[in-house]
Amino acid sequence: MSDLLSLSAVAARAALESGEISAPELTTAYLGAVEETAPLNNYVAVTADRALEMAAASQARIKSGEAGLIEGIPVGVKDLFCTAGVVSTACSRILEGFTPTYESTVTANLWREGGVMLGKLNCDEFAMGSGNETSAFGPAINPWQGGDGVDLVPGGSSGGSAAAVAARAALLATGTDTGGSIRQPAAFCGIVGMKPTYGRCSRWGIVAFASSLDQAGPFSRTVADNALMMQAMAGHDPKDSTSADAPLPDLMAALDKGVKGMKIGVPAEYVMDGMDGEVVALWEQGQAWLRDAGAELVEISLPHTKYALPAYYIIAPAEASSNLARYDGVRYGLRVEADSLDEMYAGTRAAGFGEEVQRRILIGTYVLSAGYYDAYYLKAQKVRRLIKQDFDSAFETVDAILTPATPTAAFPVGRKVDDPVTNYLNDVFTVPANLAGLPGMALPAGLNSDGLPLGLQILGRPFDEASLYSIGRVIEDAAAFSAVPQRRAGGAS
Amino acid sequence: MSNLVEGRTGEWEVVIGLEVHAQVASNAKLFSGAPTAFGADPNANVSLVDAAMPGMLPVINQECVRQAIRTGLGLKAEINLVSVFDRKNYFYADLPQGYQISQYKQPIVGEGVLRLDMPDGTTREIGIERLHLEQDAGKSMHDQHPSKSYIDLNRTGVALMEIVSRPDMRSAAEAAAYVRKLRSILRYLGTCDGNMEEGSLRADVNVSVRRLGAEFGTRTETKNLNSLRFIQQAIDYEVARQIEIIEDGGEIDQETRLFDTSTGTTRAMRSKEDAHDYRYFPDPDLLPLVIPQAEVDELSAALPELPDQIRDRLTGEYGLSAYDAAVITEERETAAYYEAASAGRDRKLVANWMTVELFGALNKSGQTLADCKVTPAALGGLVGLIEDGTISGKIAKDVFAAMFESGKDAAAIVEEQGLKQVSDSGAIEVMIDEVLATNQDKVAEYRGGKDKLFGFFVGQVMKASKGQANPGMVNQLLRAKLDG
């Protein structure tokens, strides 16, 4: 039943409501897709039994008229989310076999709204990476292939999430975005990814990478599906002190508002040396689409953009070095036994953390050390404030900002893994939104000459996700992106 | 009173500053809902947050914030309407997060002051530098198993107030008085139970010595002292040790030291060079703590009367000495007892009876005021009998001893035992005449100029009256008979 897999979540909801399809049918189709796409290594745990139970329960609620927002929709969960009774490892050896007794607020919200859990999705270890290549479970593979047929990365850190949705192995999936970890993989996999405003989604129960930057968000194949999932997962949570007590508007209603009269900023500083010509061309195309739909395009300046990446790679590792101190072998996860406490720590953390995680812990420890704190951490925080001010003043004149999502299309697995700095450059367009706490959406806008998807990014004012969905819908319609990845489920038939 | 310490080469001034860790009186921990009750089974009071499970986040307990504000107000300190929680990073098995959430650069309470009334009648003002909120760590037990350590996380995350003094104390006695006074204020406020044996109040003691008028010397910090006696012992030991080193031509190492309760000595724990780099930074899981001024005002208005206020009333209105007033007001219960006992009586006399007889008897019997059988009204009644001349002060001591034993009223005891003072001049004169008649020789000696014998006659008369004769009248009548 490959046509079940091509339904959008919105369409599937309608078909479920009308009785055209059943929740167990849809879930069974997706479990088949998960199996079929197993070589992509997108799932690190499949919860088939639970999925079928949840689907049956959804079917009952649909029948009794108690359906939630995403009732019966199969959802994949990034392994960074703690899920009760289901192994949750952040794709790290140090959490090997760790099964929480608690459910993250975001996933609890999704289940409350009727979502059906398919399993846990591959990601970079502790969400640290831009290619899903640092995972203890090995790399997740992008369902898109270039002309030469080599395996491509799906992006990261939420690589498994983006790849699974693109490959029709999940209808929706959760991701987290600390420096672009939702938007970059969405762009690499040709789907829609939203990083909401910092504070919009609860961080409770999500393995922390960098607390002041981490934010959960939805992956989907359409803008409308994205709004639907966002509506289900967001909300104030008193268990997260940084969760915002801000009302969530009706995002579905924002979809058809259009962009007439909107001012869209185009930042001069986002034209970078060595940028792919095709990326620039697509960006200009995006501007033209919005202009044609009645928006006013305005050139703006975000003068501190070039400092965003260095500031990010100080602040994020600093917070991570402290957040990851709890993985010490004392209470849960991996423990390497030794004769002294210090040796146990050293043995456990050396064996449990991969190279990239260790690198960031060392960087973070260094920048917080006495004598370096002012020169690195404090200065990075100042830069962060300046970047926020750049956006604040831009949003005095524009309603949203349009940029490319990534400097390039997806790259081959293994290509850049030995060069951390080049890898970090993947985040150049996405990091500023995390530093400023702004919402950002990436969505597919076209293919490059290798047939790989390229994405655009829309940034908005704090808590104005609604405008991003209005703009995203206009671009989606104009781009009419209909290409599908080669290695999707049902693709061979 | 000079606080200077005599060394071989001259006098030294002692400089002491204290960091007191006071456990906030609250039902739940600082950032988790786990209970704080003392004495639970190991690891019974541990939440997912306390155990630092993946993805767990701290949420501030507002009652702990209010307790810190109340304490700040009680210390006449400025309340910082914006304060910041930082992470103090270090690895230890009983620190699950790998960091302690504390306040580093922006504490909730700023500068304040604490007044000490010393036994010699002098008053000292000790500066409070700051008060901040922080999490307690868990407990490691190394003696439960031959090769393993056991960890109890019940204390993990319990709210502490760290109260830092200025280096304003100049003797171990002042340091002890400071802790007593601080404990007293905390208990009046109800913000800390002050129970030192259970670890609710512990002090780190910073000590240095210098020549009078010189710059501060290098200090050492002795950690985790949980009794007034240990605080004084540790200071005395440190002072002697430091003076000896300097007088021998050595230098003091800035270091952290541990106190050995069995020997009363301190030993080095770690030097400045080995000091942890705690990598403090603002906790990104918590927003800055913002307190509305209205909340401070509300808490301020609801503050109970504090020992200094009562003490000022006791010295100002009742004429008590500063030290007596300070002793009486140290505990709220004692102050209330005094107020009740002294109402309508000679205030100073009641104060005297409380601080000398009552406290002495309590001390001796190991009782507290709460167990004491002598009610405030009964003590007041006893003083009343002295005031109206029914009994003498001397007899009153015996009456008090009986009251302390039985809990009976003074008047009842006096009645039962026939202890009423004899103020009938005729009866006293009869006794005097008898004493003079049986001591003719002494009378002659006295009249011959041996004035000192007057005391002998008084003693004999009092003895004859079984102590019940009014001593003032005995004096007066005896003098008239002998000299007249």
Side-chain angles (χ1 to χ4, degrees):
Chain A
M1 280 292 285
S2 62
D3 54 335
L4 274 180
L5 300 181
S6 51
L7 289 174
S8 70
V10 171
R13 279 292 303 125
L16 286 164
E17 279 304 322
S18 70
E20 206 176 320
I21 61 171
S22 75
E25 248 183 299
L26 185 64
T27 291
T28 304
Y30 269 94
L31 287 171
V34 170
E35 207 170 319
E36 187 187 339
T37 58
L40 297 177
N41 198 30
N42 292 333
Y43 278 85
V44 296
V46 180
T47 53
D49 290 347
R50 176 177 296 214
L52 291 169
E53 278 168 32
M54 291 175 90
S58 278
Q59 190 58 35
R61 281 195 294 272
I62 291 166
K63 272 198 178 145
S64 62
E66 296 163 12
L69 282 173
I70 55 167
E71 196 69 61
I73 301 297
V75 180
V77 177
K78 187 181 186 179
D79 200 31
L80 215 62
F81 291 77
C82 288
T83 41
V86 178
V87 70
S88 305
T89 70
C91 290
S92 178
R93 266 206 71 194
I94 208 154
L95 278 172
E96 212 165 67
F98 174 69
T99 306
T101 56
Y102 49 92
E103 186 79 29
S104 83
T105 298
V106 162
T107 48
N109 289 347
L110 292 171
W111 313 147
R112 187 196 63 220
E113 292 296 337
V116 171
M117 180 181 180
L118 292 171
K120 303 300 284 286
L121 292 160
N122 206 343
C123 61
D124 279 299
E125 184 180 5
F126 284 103
M128 296 179 189
S130 306
N132 210 128
E133 294 178 282
T134 69
S135 167
F137 295 96
I141 309 297
N142 194 326
W144 292 84
Q145 285 181 308
D148 49 10
V150 296
D151 284 347
L152 301 176
V153 300
S157 66
S158 314
S161 298
V165 171
R168 276 71 176 148
L171 185 39
L172 301 172
T174 67
T176 61
D177 189 318
T178 305
S181 284
I182 289 174
R183 290 159 291 157
Q184 184 253 20
F188 276 16
C189 293
I191 63 167
V192 184
M194 166 70 105
K195 180 204 95 76
T197 311
Y198 184 78
R200 191 58 111 175
C201 289
S202 170
R203 293 185 298 110
W204 193 89
I206 302 173
V207 172
F209 163 13
S211 311
S212 74
L213 300 159
D214 294 346
Q215 190 56 207
F219 282 107
S220 63
R221 295 196 285 271
T222 71
V223 173
D225 284 5
N226 206 277
L228 181 67
M229 183 172 175
M230 184 70 207
Q231 197 87 49
M233 69 194 281
H236 176 59
D237 180 6
K239 289 188 287 187
D240 173 1
S241 307
T242 63
S243 163
D245 196 0
L248 185 67
D250 183 347
L251 299 173
M252 298 302 282
L255 288 167
D256 296 320
K257 278 195 177 156
V259 295
K260 197 159 281 176
M262 270 196 192
K263 284 187 178 171
I264 310 288
V266 179
E269 292 81 3
Y270 280 54
V271 182
M272 307 226 169
D273 284 348
M275 218 160 110
D276 195 332
E278 291 178 299
V279 170
V280 177
L282 188 77
W283 186 15
E284 285 164 357
Q285 178 63 67
Q287 296 168 39
W289 287 331
L290 292 175
R291 200 177 294 117
D292 293 347
E296 184 188 341
L297 275 291
V298 182
E299 188 173 311
I300 57 165
S301 175
L302 300 168
H304 298 94
T305 299
K306 63 170 177 279
Y307 305 114
L309 212 51
Y312 172 83
Y313 276 98
I314 288 167
I315 293 167
E319 293 183 11
S321 70
S322 177
N323 281 337
L324 269 58
R326 65 186 57 199
Y327 307 106
D328 57 6
V330 174
R331 297 168 313 286
Y332 49 79
L334 182 75
R335 176 192 290 181
V336 174
E337 298 285 353
D339 291 335
S340 74
L341 185 61
D342 284 351
E343 287 171 290
M344 187 186 90
Y345 286 150
T348 299
R349 290 166 66 84
F353 290 136
E355 193 185 344
E356 183 60 28
V357 172
Q358 291 190 27
R359 181 184 352 262
R360 296 197 196 190
I361 290 172
L362 289 174
I363 292 170
T365 304
Y366 180 84
V367 299
L368 289 176
S369 295
Y372 300 99
Y373 181 87
D374 289 359
Y376 291 98
Y377 182 78
L378 216 54
K379 190 173 264 183
Q381 290 292 10
K382 284 178 190 157
V383 169
R384 184 176 189 173
R385 276 195 292 280
L386 292 171
I387 286 166
K388 175 87 169 69
Q389 283 166 20
D390 282 358
F391 281 108
D392 287 347
S393 49
F395 283 125
E396 283 170 17
T397 51
V398 300
D399 299 301
I401 294 168
L402 183 73
T403 79
T406 56
T408 66
F411 49 85
V413 172
R415 194 187 69 175
K416 287 177 176 171
V417 82
D418 293 331
D419 180 358
V421 176
T422 308
N423 269 352
Y424 294 170
L425 287 173
N426 271 296
D427 306 327
V428 69
F429 297 134
T430 48
V431 151
N434 297 86
L435 291 173
L438 305 174
M441 175 194 284
L443 76 170
L447 297 177
N448 73 1
S449 53
D450 294 328
L452 297 177
L454 290 174
L456 289 173
Q457 175 181 237
I458 315 159
L459 302 176
R461 294 190 179 102
F463 301 105
D464 188 20
E465 287 84 3
S467 289
L468 301 194
Y469 284 115
S470 304
I471 299 163
R473 184 60 166 269
V474 167
I475 293 176
E476 183 180 50
D477 288 346
F481 185 86
S482 59
V484 288
Q486 297 87 337
R487 300 178 74 178
R488 70 185 186 282
S493 59
Chain B
M1 183 172 75
S2 166
N3 280 326
L4 299 182
V5 176
E6 191 68 40
R8 283 196 323 271
T9 60
E11 290 183 320
W12 295 89
E13 187 184 34
V14 179
V15 176
I16 302 162
L18 294 182
E19 291 165 27
V20 171
H21 291 89
Q23 181 179 329
V24 175
S26 66
N27 295 325
K29 295 181 180 182
L30 183 54
F31 293 111
S32 85
T36 54
F38 181 80
D41 285 343
N43 296 308
N45 296 345
V46 183
S47 75
L48 294 169
V49 174
D50 304 324
M53 300 305 282
M56 291 301 99
L57 297 172
V59 177
I60 185 80
N61 177 345
Q62 289 295 343
E63 179 54 19
C64 295
V65 173
R66 285 189 286 273
Q67 293 288 55
I69 297 171
R70 287 184 188 110
T71 306
L73 292 168
L75 295 171
K76 302 183 192 75
E78 65 185 291
I79 307 300
N80 294 323
L81 298 181
V82 178
S83 63
V84 174
F85 285 102
D86 296 282
R87 291 185 183 177
K88 179 180 180 178
N89 295 281
Y90 66 96
F91 283 94
Y92 202 63
D94 57 25
L95 187 75
Q97 296 169 137
Y99 53 84
Q100 175 195 35
I101 305 177
S102 180
Q103 297 188 302
Y104 183 47
K105 287 188 178 158
Q106 290 175 260
I108 184 167
V109 175
E111 292 195 19
V113 67
L114 193 134
R115 185 170 70 184
L116 304 183
D117 291 297
M118 301 305 293
D120 63 359
T122 57
T123 295
R124 299 266 294 125
E125 294 221 320
I126 307 299
I128 303 287
E129 190 179 310
R130 58 184 282 166
L131 175 155
H132 68 254
L133 281 167
E134 65 181 28
Q135 296 177 301
D136 203 350
K139 194 166 73 175
S140 294
M141 286 167 282
H142 304 296
D143 54 358
Q144 310 280 310
H145 185 277
S147 60
K148 293 185 192 302
S149 292
Y150 284 18
I151 308 294
D152 179 3
L153 298 180
N154 282 350
R155 290 195 70 93
T156 301
V158 165
L160 301 178
M161 295 179 281
E162 180 172 326
I163 303 160
V164 183
S165 83
R166 296 261 174 223
D168 287 350
M169 285 155 275
R170 294 293 174 266
S171 68
E174 280 185 11
Y178 169 85
V179 175
R180 287 180 83 110
K181 184 61 176 286
L182 183 56
R183 181 176 176 277
S184 162
I185 292 172
L186 295 171
R187 284 171 54 82
Y188 267 74
L189 291 166
T191 58
C192 170
D193 67 21
N195 193 328
M196 297 189 83
E197 295 88 68
E198 288 177 5
S200 298
L201 196 77
R202 345 192 255 276
D204 299 343
V205 179
N206 287 283
V207 177
S208 63
V209 297
R210 64 175 173 184
R211 297 293 189 192
L212 202 59
E215 297 283 299
F216 284 135
T218 304
R219 67 188 157 85
T220 61
E221 181 182 20
T222 304
K223 288 275 199 197
N224 238 356
L225 301 164
N226 68 346
S227 84
L228 293 174
R229 195 162 63 93
F230 295 157
I231 289 169
Q232 298 190 74
Q233 280 181 352
I235 292 170
D236 288 339
Y237 181 82
E238 265 309 286
V239 167
R241 190 186 70 87
Q242 291 185 14
I243 290 174
E244 188 176 327
I245 289 173
I246 299 170
E247 291 190 332
D248 285 346
E251 281 183 5
I252 303 302
D253 294 325
Q254 187 178 335
E255 61 190 5
T256 304
R257 299 180 69 84
L258 281 177
F259 181 70
D260 185 334
T261 53
S262 58
T263 60
T265 61
T266 70
R267 64 186 149 82
M269 185 166 90
R270 57 173 182 259
S271 71
K272 193 187 177 188
E273 289 72 40
D274 306 328
H276 290 297
D277 180 354
Y278 290 119
R279 291 170 283 122
Y280 281 100
F281 76 108
D283 191 327
D285 284 333
L286 294 161
L287 301 173
L289 182 62
V290 178
I291 303 162
Q293 182 61 49
E295 189 178 347
V296 178
D297 296 343
E298 206 173 295
L299 292 169
S300 181
L303 229 50
E305 197 179 24
L306 290 174
D308 279 351
Q309 291 164 273
I310 305 176
R311 168 204 173 280
D312 287 349
R313 199 172 65 234
L314 266 46
T315 55
E317 288 179 28
Y318 306 163
L320 265 52
S321 79
Y323 183 70
D324 277 355
V327 169
I328 286 170
T329 54
E330 185 172 323
E331 298 282 350
R332 199 201 325 228
E333 297 72 21
T334 317
Y337 187 105
Y338 171 75
E339 293 275 12
S342 68
R345 312 284 181 196
D346 181 332
R347 300 278 188 179
K348 280 167 102 167
L349 199 54
V350 174
N352 223 12
W353 274 87
M354 260 188 88
T355 55
V356 180
E357 299 301 326
L358 179 62
F359 290 173
L362 288 173
N363 246 340
K364 215 167 138 191
S365 65
Q367 292 181 48
T368 67
L369 199 56
D371 334 308
C372 182
K373 288 181 185 161
V374 181
T375 64
L379 186 70
L382 177 67
V383 172
L385 293 181
I386 303 168
E387 281 184 76
D388 66 15
T390 307
I391 55 174
S392 68
K394 194 157 180 291
I395 291 288
K397 289 189 185 186
D398 299 333
V399 174
F400 177 81
M403 290 166 73
F404 194 79
E405 206 54 41
S406 67
K408 284 185 184 162
D409 266 13
I413 292 168
V414 167
E415 193 63 39
E416 268 171 37
Q417 305 189 8
L419 298 173
K420 216 169 221 175
Q421 179 163 271
V422 179
S423 299
D424 170 352
S425 58
I428 294 173
E429 272 181 72
V430 170
M431 285 186 270
I432 290 175
D433 290 344
E434 268 171 40
V435 166
L436 297 186
T438 48
N439 291 285
Q440 297 280 351
D441 47 340
K442 295 246 168 49
V443 173
E445 281 179 51
Y446 175 85
R447 290 194 170 130
K450 213 169 175 188
D451 289 357
K452 282 180 183 163
L453 279 171
F454 188 73
F456 164 80
F457 293 119
V458 172
Q460 291 299 309
V461 176
M462 291 306 289
K463 198 174 161 189
S465 76
K466 299 194 186 98
Q468 283 169 253
N470 182 325
M473 290 180 72
V474 171
N475 263 305
Q476 194 194 330
L477 293 170
L478 193 57
R479 207 170 285 284
K481 287 209 185 272
L482 284 171
D483 299 348

